[in-house]
Amino acid sequence: MGTEALARLAEERVDHRFKGLPPDADGLTVGELAAQRRNLFTGGFPTPVLALSAERLEHNLRLMETYAARHGLAFAPHGKTSMAPQLFRRQIDHGAWGITLAVPHQVRVARAFGTERVFLANQVVDPAALRWIAAELAADPSFRLVAYVDSVRGVELMDAALSGSARPVDVVVELAAGEGARTGVRTEKDAAAVADAVAAVPTLRLVGVAGYEGEVPGADPERVRAWLGRLMALAADLDGAGRFADLDEIVVSAGGSAWFDVVAEEFARMPELSRPVLKLLRSGAYVSHDDGHYRRLTPFNRVPEEGALEPAFRLWTQVVSRPSPEQAFVNAGKRDAAHDLDLPTAQVVRRDGTERPAAGITVTALSDQHAWLRTAPEADLEVGDWVGLGLSHPCTSFDKWQLIPLVEADGTVVDYVRTFF
């Protein structure tokens, strides 16, 4: 998978584009800086700086590899979480079938680094993007892309843009998670009409059904199970209508990061179809996990015997103002920390090389470049202290940092993860 392209990432020069990196590293290549194995706390890294735990990242990769294999699932983790080709490679090395992406730009990034299987969880109707996809398929027989369709009009637009293409684009009918949910057909009748439209054109090939259970209104295990039952029944109906007669396998896909245990349970009850079924799970937030939204909702909380994901991000900040005993400010804000679901949480304070729990310290708000801290009487906090923050929602953490130190438990930086948003 794109070994040469990945190797070239180490040749990129460190400079002002990459926040949080040592100023005296300017002009070094990323590979040269990594070889120095600097310490995050003593090696000249200015705050704020986002750190990705090497040990916890590896733990999460191994855990989900084992989980998918145990439940007989193929795994295409959602790469838009990180948009980091180095992590795509590691996920594939840990057994992933391919990578899920959301928009054509992301597919272009993945292809630039040699990703051979992409699940595109969106309907693509832009002619330029479709022509590019057709060219990629024509140029590389090993490349496979599966995309959503959810309307007859979408099929018509795709067919027009793909006219004359050498290979048909594989598509799955997207079933919406319910009224008021996001994209996807609302009814089985609509799904059949879309399937008929696909069958009538030479540029597309229907290979299955898919959707996203995280959009089920008022999601709970029972509602998610009911929707998954509809998804599997739709696959069976289309199969019974002969829509998959020319395939080697039928794709049935679901699975965000909040309900993949229910997906695994229900997919184990998949009705027998005329062809083998590729049960494709797409959970992506696991790769770094988090200290908020997904930590509360992770399926491993419901089935602890399966293991536990570990939050792998920590945003290191520094106290720059302590205007009163009840208040302090650190130098990281909305530009640095995920905040769309939960505020960051103060976890540890570091002073003179010693860490201690951030007792009595609460993040109450974010400005562009500051976090507001409320400090209780027991809080021991001074200007200059480093404060380690836990972050919620990895999908909006990776996108704020283009080059992220990969850090071992003792603070040694062993590599740098490049992101492309």
Side-chain angles (χ1 to χ4, degrees):
M1 174 190 159
T3 303
E4 292 183 4
L6 287 168
R8 285 196 295 273
L9 291 176
E11 300 170 3
E12 191 164 15
R13 295 288 173 182
V14 175
D15 58 25
H16 60 276
R17 293 171 295 163
F18 305 119
K19 62 184 180 180
L21 298 190
D24 67 354
D26 277 11
L28 296 176
T29 67
V30 172
E32 289 168 343
L33 180 57
Q36 292 181 355
R37 296 179 65 86
R38 296 195 188 197
N39 186 279
L40 187 73
F41 307 108
T42 61
F45 292 84
T47 56
V49 57
L50 181 65
L52 181 63
S53 164
E55 295 88 354
R56 291 186 169 199
L57 171 64
E58 179 63 20
H59 168 84
N60 292 344
L61 290 167
R62 289 184 180 276
L63 182 64
M64 285 302 290
E65 177 184 17
T66 301
Y67 182 87
R70 182 185 302 131
H71 291 278
L73 301 171
F75 189 34
H78 216 314
K80 59 93 176 174
T81 299
S82 68
M83 285 308 298
Q86 292 148 287
L87 299 186
F88 295 174
R89 173 62 178 267
R90 292 187 65 175
Q91 289 170 310
I92 289 170
D93 286 347
H94 280 278
W97 171 91
I99 299 296
T100 296
L101 297 163
V103 293
H105 158 71
Q106 295 171 356
V107 182
R108 290 186 64 194
V109 172
R111 288 296 292 158
F113 291 89
T115 302
E116 292 189 346
R117 291 175 179 164
V118 170
F119 188 97
L120 180 51
N122 224 331
Q123 180 170 253
V124 181
V125 295
D126 179 77
L130 287 164
R131 288 193 294 269
W132 176 82
I133 289 170
E136 287 291 298
L137 291 168
D140 184 357
S142 66
F143 176 43
R144 185 178 186 193
L145 180 138
V146 178
Y148 278 173
V149 287
D150 78 348
S151 66
V152 172
R153 173 63 172 162
V155 170
E156 293 170 349
L157 291 170
M158 294 177 79
D159 179 55
L162 294 167
S163 178
S165 55
R167 291 172 58 190
V169 173
D170 287 349
V171 294
V172 289
V173 175
E174 182 194 6
L175 178 67
E179 289 298 328
R182 203 162 56 189
T183 53
V185 297
R186 264 39 181 181
T187 69
E188 284 71 7
K189 181 179 179 181
D190 291 339
V194 172
D196 289 344
V198 172
V201 301
T203 56
L204 303 175
R205 182 176 72 152
L206 186 67
V207 298
V209 299
Y212 173 47
E213 77 288 341
E215 285 288 312
V216 170
D220 60 27
E222 290 69 31
R223 289 185 174 94
V224 170
R225 285 193 181 93
W227 177 80
L228 288 164
R230 286 184 63 202
L231 183 71
M232 292 187 293
L234 176 60
D237 289 346
L238 294 175
D239 188 38
R243 292 303 183 204
F244 306 131
D246 297 329
L247 302 180
D248 294 327
E249 65 182 7
I250 299 167
V251 177
V252 181
S253 180
S257 295
W259 298 103
F260 60 76
D261 59 326
V262 181
V263 173
E265 291 171 8
E266 294 305 308
F267 276 9
R269 303 183 179 97
M270 187 80 64
E272 186 173 349
L273 303 182
S274 66
R275 301 288 184 272
V277 177
L278 184 74
K279 304 172 185 178
L280 193 61
L281 184 71
R282 306 195 309 273
S283 312
Y286 83 99
V287 68
S288 63
H289 200 40
D290 74 354
D291 280 289
H293 179 76
Y294 287 115
R295 191 170 195 177
R296 293 192 301 272
L297 295 179
T298 175
F300 290 127
N301 288 341
R302 296 187 288 270
V303 281
E305 64 272 17
E306 297 271 20
L309 294 168
E310 297 178 352
F313 270 144
R314 178 165 284 172
L315 178 61
W316 286 100
T317 66
Q318 197 166 22
V319 179
V320 293
S321 181
R322 188 80 160 96
S324 75
E326 296 81 27
Q327 195 173 41
F329 293 86
V330 293
N331 61 344
K334 294 177 182 178
R335 309 300 182 198
D336 313 297
H339 57 90
D340 57 322
L341 293 179
D342 297 296
L343 288 172
T345 55
Q347 295 179 330
V348 295
V349 175
R350 185 178 180 90
R351 183 189 301 162
D352 298 328
T354 301
E355 288 181 18
R356 62 181 185 281
I361 302 171
T362 304
V363 179
T364 60
L366 294 178
S367 298
D368 282 353
Q369 302 295 170
H370 295 92
W372 298 56
L373 306 185
R374 182 175 65 243
T375 52
E378 67 270 24
D380 178 12
L381 199 64
E382 297 178 355
V383 170
D385 289 348
W386 283 39
V387 179
L389 303 179
L391 302 177
S392 176
H393 203 192
C395 297
T396 53
S397 296
F398 279 101
D399 67 348
K400 301 179 189 307
W401 297 82
Q402 291 184 301
L403 201 57
I404 303 170
L406 185 66
V407 184
E408 292 182 340
D410 65 357
T412 302
V413 180
V414 294
D415 204 354
Y416 298 82
V417 175
R418 184 72 157 93
T419 65
F420 294 86
F421 282 92

